[in-house]
Amino acid sequence: MAGLDWARSRTQTTAPPTVLERLPNIDWEFAFTVALCLGAGTAVSNALENGGWSTDMPPLTMIVITGLLTATVLARTRLSMFLAWPLGIVAGAAMVFWQTLTLVGPGGVEARVNAIYTRFDAWFGVAFGSGVTNDQLPFNVLVLSLTWLGVFLFGWSVVRWHNAWIGLIPGGAVIFLDLVLVGDELTGTILIYLLLGFLLIMQTNLNANLKRWRSEGVEYPTFINLSFFHFSLWALIGLVVSAWVVPVGPYSTPAPVAAAIDGALERGADFVRLAGPLRSNKVIPIHSYSRTLTFDGSIKLGDRKLMAVTVTDPRLRGDMLLRGTVYDDYEGGGWRTGERAEIEVPQGASEQVAAAINEQLAESERRGTLVPLHIEMLAKTVAGTVIFTPGQPVGFDRSLIVDVPADAVSSTPAHPLANPYHSDEEIYTLTLDEEQIPVRVIRNSVDMPQSVEFVDLSSVAFSDTVEVDPGERIKRYRTYNVTGFVPNVSADDLRASDDEVTPFWIDATYTTLPVSVPQRVRDEAVRVVGDAETRYDRAAAVENFLRSSYQVDYKIDETPPGRDTVDYFLFDARRGYFNYHASAMVVMLRAVDVPARLAVGFAIQEEDIDPETGAYIVNDDNSYAWTEVYFPTYGWVPFNPSPDRPAVFETRERVAGGSMDDPLGLDPALRDQLPVNATEGFYIPPEVDSFPLQDGDRSIGILSEGESGYQPWLLVAVLGFAAAVAVAVTVGWNRSVMGLPYPQQVWEKTVRLASWGGFKPQPGQTPHEYISALGKLHRGMRDLDVLASAYTSSRFGKKELRETDRERLAEMWPVLRGALMSGILRRVARRSKRHD
């Protein structure tokens, strides 16, 4: 009967015991599985702890280790899931509560418990409202709880169910969120997680087989997992190298991945407002250009190159503010964007917008500077999620989405002649005037046009654009062109604008403050503006007060939980950086009924120009925030209350000096649409050469040398890796049968290849029966019974193989191997055809 078990067991009669086999009797498969779990779990926790989410990130690695060990111990017992899981949850609750008491601060247990209750009560008030919290404790508790539950389920599924996917998929989702919301430099973490996850899947499958083999009494090598590890490791390395070597091609991000990223960013805005001061040390440490802006306390601005900005009119030079987005609603713990309406802008300049602006300028005798820019992204960064513009944008080289305040959108009934057969563009033409910029057509259930939403430029001074969305992130070394209009307006002009009418929604939106702002902040604003009567004089008074009274400091404490940030900045900290200065100015101006909002982006000056390329090099430390004040006729005018850079109004005077007849460097089609009073004030001395501007996506060649075409070292590396893989596979293949007599080696290789081709031996089948069936499958093979006879004699009869029989096997094996490999390829082809 021993012959019936040939397919399920074999004994290495000649191989001496290895050093590992002499070690104490330890369940190495289980220990190896736990080690892989701990490695995968700590890879994720380290990414979260070091990814810049928070300055007070809880010890997630400790939670991961204790949670996995708890799950492992409970899963190894005979307790049912319905008893073990409640025990695990209780253990996790105790662990989280202990960490929460540690995070809440000093004091006795009762005082800490009361503090926890008070802070969570305030947090729930923000969560069910529309505020922004500056308390990280609820976020940290949530992270601790989810981490414990996740790793407990992970450990249980691996140990009890022999299933790694249940834990690996959530861990991968966490890394994906970390990559999207916080850091772009997670390549090392991703590779480690892929390696350990791949090996863990291998190990859990092996553990499931080992459990079955034990129940069936099948013998197997003590360290069989090491052989599986060997092959799995090389297979994974091969996949990673292949993915790295294969060119990306011209295709964009797959639609499902892009949708997942957009969804994460969309929901991330609400998540950030409830998470307290989070930051991103690996992208831009201070601004994410999302719907929420929190106050992050201490920051460190780096010198990483983000963008190269070239003014394409060679006669323009000066200091600039490049605006990315604006924030409308102050919430005490941070800022939120207001409701917005999206306007689709086709590629090229909008003739309709240009004509409306032209009419405004002609009537108001308003002058300004058109600044055409060519911008190249130099890093993979969230700065690629918006289009940066100097002043108000008036022209683009691509189709994109322009965001305007939702309150600026009006509605009018569709033209009586409009019908379901008309396109939106035709309905716009029938219904709207030249100064009315279409947003969308409202239709009823039978597709009949009911109304048209639009933005009226006659009531919105100079196109109130709050953000320009490129649609998808602009990748590294990609470029775009944008033209902005920087107004040339004097203090007297701004004072005189008080006589003009301000749109009602401007006052309703940009002079409101939450009731949580302390009264002393409002009183301080009244004291600072004194008897200033005009909107401009009040803004100038607050700007001068903040510039002269509050120092710049990047190493500051975070706002204490429950405190209003501007109040804490004005009366306690009395120091901060641009986010704090600009926010304080906005809040103080709103307290005295001056419409104001917060703008964020980059501040660049002439010292940022690269002398070799003539381009402004924008670094992390160019990140900035400033205050925009609304003036009738002129729209939003920037002010800078931060003393680390020149006051914005001084910069405006430098920018807007001088006049020339015709701007250079602009597209002729755009030049014909320029506002009648547009001038050029970024003057460049005659002895300075024009800025070099090259064609294509690589506009600033000296900054883009990192990418090139053919690189010989890459081919050498790939060939070397392929050779190493071939050697490793050969060694691993032969090592698996090392020590066996030659007939048994040939037999083991034959069964393995045949099984991969879909022809496994059946239980109870003798070697001769199996080899006979295999011969019918491969009709070209002959003398296969010689292999069966030699194997049974060696395996069960313990007989040495005669030299003539050995020669026959050696001669037959290459042919048999080729036939079996063909069977494997045919099986793969059949499966691919079925999937197609």
Side-chain angles (χ1 to χ4, degrees):
M1 294 297 293
L4 298 178
D5 296 330
W6 63 270
R8 298 187 298 175
S9 64
R10 63 179 174 85
T11 303
Q12 296 187 10
T13 56
T14 60
T18 64
V19 175
L20 292 176
E21 289 172 339
R22 296 191 184 102
L23 293 177
N25 186 20
I26 300 175
D27 190 347
W28 291 104
E29 287 78 16
F30 173 72
F32 188 62
T33 303
V34 173
L36 291 176
C37 287
L38 290 173
T42 54
V44 178
S45 64
N46 283 328
L48 295 178
E49 289 179 344
N50 302 321
W53 285 85
S54 170
T55 57
D56 191 26
M57 201 68 176
L60 296 181
T61 299
M62 183 179 65
I63 293 293
V64 167
I65 294 174
T66 55
L68 281 173
L69 293 180
T70 301
T72 299
V73 171
L74 291 176
R76 293 278 284 186
T77 66
R78 296 185 178 182
L79 295 176
S80 69
M81 182 180 70
F82 301 103
L83 181 58
W85 282 31
L87 290 176
I89 293 175
V90 170
M95 191 74 179
V96 171
F97 181 70
W98 172 50
Q99 289 299 316
T100 303
L101 290 177
T102 304
L103 293 171
V104 80
V109 175
E110 183 178 357
R112 294 187 186 191
V113 171
N114 290 334
I116 292 172
Y117 174 80
T118 302
R119 292 169 68 172
F120 268 86
D121 182 65
W123 183 84
F124 279 110
V126 173
F128 290 102
S130 59
V132 178
T133 184
N134 59 7
D135 191 352
Q136 294 182 358
L137 181 65
F139 167 75
N140 290 338
V141 173
L142 175 65
V143 171
L144 287 172
S145 303
L146 292 178
T147 300
W148 179 276
L149 292 175
V151 298
F152 183 85
L153 177 61
F154 182 26
W156 180 274
S157 64
V158 168
V159 177
R160 180 67 69 90
W161 297 334
H162 303 301
N163 187 325
W165 290 104
I166 296 177
L168 290 175
I169 292 177
V174 170
I175 292 180
F176 174 78
L177 291 175
D178 193 23
L179 184 68
V180 171
L181 299 177
V182 177
D184 280 351
E185 302 297 333
L186 292 175
T187 303
T189 298
I190 294 173
L191 288 177
I192 292 173
Y193 192 72
L194 284 175
L195 170 63
L196 297 176
F198 192 84
L199 296 177
L200 190 57
I201 293 172
M202 174 275 298
Q203 183 67 20
T204 51
N205 288 331
L206 176 60
N207 288 343
N209 285 327
L210 293 179
K211 182 179 179 181
R212 178 174 60 84
W213 292 343
R214 292 190 191 104
S215 64
E216 296 177 355
V218 177
E219 299 177 10
Y220 56 87
T222 304
F223 298 102
I224 189 173
N225 59 325
L226 296 182
S227 297
F228 277 77
F229 173 82
H230 177 83
F231 285 108
S232 299
L233 178 63
W234 281 104
L236 176 63
I237 294 176
L239 290 174
V240 172
V241 171
S242 300
W244 176 60
V245 170
V246 173
V248 176
Y251 304 104
S252 59
T253 304
V257 177
I261 292 175
D262 293 340
L265 292 174
E266 185 75 15
R267 292 167 178 80
D270 282 332
F271 170 76
V272 168
R273 77 178 182 90
L274 299 176
L278 301 183
R279 62 170 56 90
S280 169
N281 293 327
K282 298 179 180 178
V283 188
I284 291 181
I286 186 66
H287 298 141
S288 63
Y289 306 100
S290 63
R291 294 205 311 266
T292 301
L293 174 68
T294 59
F295 294 101
D296 292 332
S298 179
I299 64 170
K300 183 179 179 180
L301 294 174
D303 58 358
R304 182 180 54 147
K305 293 178 174 62
L306 301 177
M307 300 189 299
V309 179
T310 303
V311 183
T312 54
D313 186 332
R315 294 175 293 180
L316 304 184
R317 176 178 290 185
D319 302 339
M320 281 187 290
L321 291 173
L322 299 178
R323 192 180 70 183
T325 191
V326 301
Y327 293 94
D328 308 321
D329 301 331
Y330 177 69
E331 300 290 352
W335 287 89
R336 298 198 74 192
T337 59
E339 294 297 324
R340 297 178 174 181
E342 296 182 345
I343 301 177
E344 295 184 6
V345 177
Q347 185 173 353
S350 171
E351 298 181 5
Q352 192 174 4
V353 174
I357 294 172
N358 224 339
E359 184 174 346
Q360 287 187 24
L361 293 175
E363 293 177 354
S364 65
E365 297 184 355
R366 181 185 178 197
R367 302 182 67 81
T369 304
L370 279 161
V371 185
L373 301 181
H374 179 82
I375 299 179
E376 178 184 22
M377 303 305 301
L378 301 180
K380 185 180 179 182
T381 163
V382 293
T385 60
V386 295
I387 297 291
F388 289 89
T389 62
Q392 285 292 338
V394 296
F396 312 98
D397 67 342
R398 60 178 60 204
S399 300
L400 37 71
I401 302 295
V402 169
D403 290 344
V404 299
D407 291 332
V409 177
S410 303
S411 179
T412 187
H415 192 278
L417 297 180
N419 60 64
Y421 300 101
H422 282 117
S423 64
D424 286 355
E425 289 72 18
E426 292 171 332
I427 296 173
Y428 295 148
T429 303
L430 289 171
T431 307
L432 301 179
D433 297 331
E434 291 184 356
E435 290 187 347
Q436 296 172 336
I437 308 302
V439 176
R440 62 172 179 163
V441 175
I442 306 299
R443 301 173 183 264
N444 60 18
S445 58
V446 294
D447 211 26
M448 177 65 71
Q450 298 296 298
S451 61
V452 177
E453 293 183 346
F454 64 94
V455 175
D456 190 349
L457 290 183
S458 63
S459 64
V460 181
F462 202 68
S463 180
D464 187 14
T465 300
V466 294
E467 183 175 293
V468 182
D469 182 0
E472 62 178 10
R473 177 181 295 195
I474 300 175
K475 300 178 181 179
R476 189 180 185 188
Y477 298 131
R478 300 297 182 183
T479 66
Y480 60 88
N481 298 304
V482 61
T483 299
F485 184 83
V486 179
N488 176 14
V489 58
S490 67
D492 290 337
D493 293 332
L494 296 178
R495 290 188 180 98
S497 69
D498 279 4
D499 297 331
E500 304 295 332
V501 177
T502 299
F504 75 93
W505 61 269
I506 291 288
D507 284 332
T509 303
Y510 297 108
T511 60
T512 59
L513 290 172
V515 295
S516 60
V517 174
Q519 183 61 40
R520 65 176 179 173
V521 175
R522 304 172 192 267
D523 296 339
E524 183 72 358
V526 173
R527 185 194 68 79
V528 170
V529 300
D531 57 359
E533 296 181 355
T534 67
R535 187 173 294 182
Y536 169 76
D537 289 326
R538 292 185 174 190
V542 175
E543 179 185 51
N544 293 333
F545 167 71
L546 292 171
R547 289 180 64 86
S548 61
S549 304
Y550 294 86
Q551 299 179 13
V552 172
D553 189 352
Y554 294 98
K555 296 181 179 180
I556 59 175
D557 295 332
E558 295 170 355
T559 304
R563 288 287 304 275
D564 181 89
T565 301
V566 168
D567 175 78
Y568 180 74
F569 168 73
L570 290 175
F571 299 103
D572 293 89
R574 301 192 63 82
R575 60 180 59 243
Y577 46 90
F578 39 81
N579 278 5
Y580 292 85
H581 288 80
S583 298
M585 182 173 180
V586 174
V587 171
M588 294 178 72
L589 288 179
R590 290 187 179 188
V592 293
D593 297 324
V594 175
R597 66 189 185 186
L598 182 73
V600 298
F602 298 104
I604 56 177
Q605 298 174 272
E606 291 193 55
E607 52 262 36
D608 296 317
I609 295 177
D610 184 348
E612 296 186 15
T613 64
Y616 294 83
I617 304 302
V618 181
N619 299 327
D620 280 323
D621 56 12
N622 289 108
S623 300
Y624 216 60
W626 57 94
T627 302
E628 291 187 344
V629 181
Y630 185 86
F631 294 90
T633 302
Y634 301 105
W636 295 97
V637 177
F639 288 79
N640 180 22
S642 304
D644 57 336
R645 295 181 185 268
V648 172
F649 193 71
E650 295 172 1
T651 304
R652 287 198 301 273
E653 291 178 344
R654 290 184 62 193
V655 168
S659 176
M660 292 178 287
D661 295 333
D662 186 39
L664 300 178
L666 296 179
D667 186 277
L670 177 59
R671 187 181 300 137
D672 296 338
Q673 304 167 17
L674 296 185
V676 292
N677 291 330
T679 61
E680 287 63 50
F682 282 55
Y683 180 66
I684 180 170
E687 65 271 14
V688 179
D689 294 333
S690 299
F691 293 166
L693 179 64
Q694 303 174 13
D695 294 333
D697 283 342
R698 300 297 186 86
S699 60
I700 311 299
I702 190 171
L703 298 173
S704 305
E705 293 175 355
E707 284 193 1
S708 60
Y710 171 72
Q711 297 184 6
W713 65 265
L714 181 61
L715 178 60
V716 173
V718 172
L719 293 177
F721 173 78
V725 171
V727 172
V729 170
T730 302
V731 172
W733 173 265
N734 292 324
R735 182 182 179 278
S736 63
V737 295
M738 189 177 299
L740 293 176
Y742 183 72
Q744 296 185 40
Q745 291 185 20
V746 176
W747 181 265
E748 292 291 341
K749 295 177 181 180
T750 299
V751 172
R752 188 178 302 171
L753 290 178
S755 299
W756 291 350
F759 194 79
K760 296 181 179 181
Q762 301 300 314
Q765 194 175 33
T766 66
H768 283 279
E769 291 173 346
Y770 176 70
I771 209 68
S772 176
L774 185 64
K776 295 178 180 177
L777 183 65
H778 299 279
R779 296 184 180 277
M781 293 302 305
R782 296 181 180 180
D783 299 329
L784 288 180
D785 57 329
V786 174
L787 173 59
S789 299
Y791 170 71
T792 53
S793 297
S794 175
R795 172 72 174 83
F796 303 108
K798 312 298 182 183
K799 296 180 180 179
E800 293 291 335
L801 190 66
R802 292 181 302 179
E803 188 63 27
T804 55
D805 292 334
R806 182 183 181 89
E807 292 177 356
R808 292 182 63 186
L809 284 179
E811 182 180 345
M812 180 184 65
W813 167 240
V815 181
L816 176 59
R817 180 180 57 197
L820 296 175
M821 292 295 295
S822 299
I824 296 174
L825 295 177
R826 285 195 299 269
R827 187 187 186 194
V828 172
R830 287 195 301 270
R831 287 189 172 184
S832 301
K833 188 175 181 179
R834 284 200 301 269
H835 289 308
D836 293 341

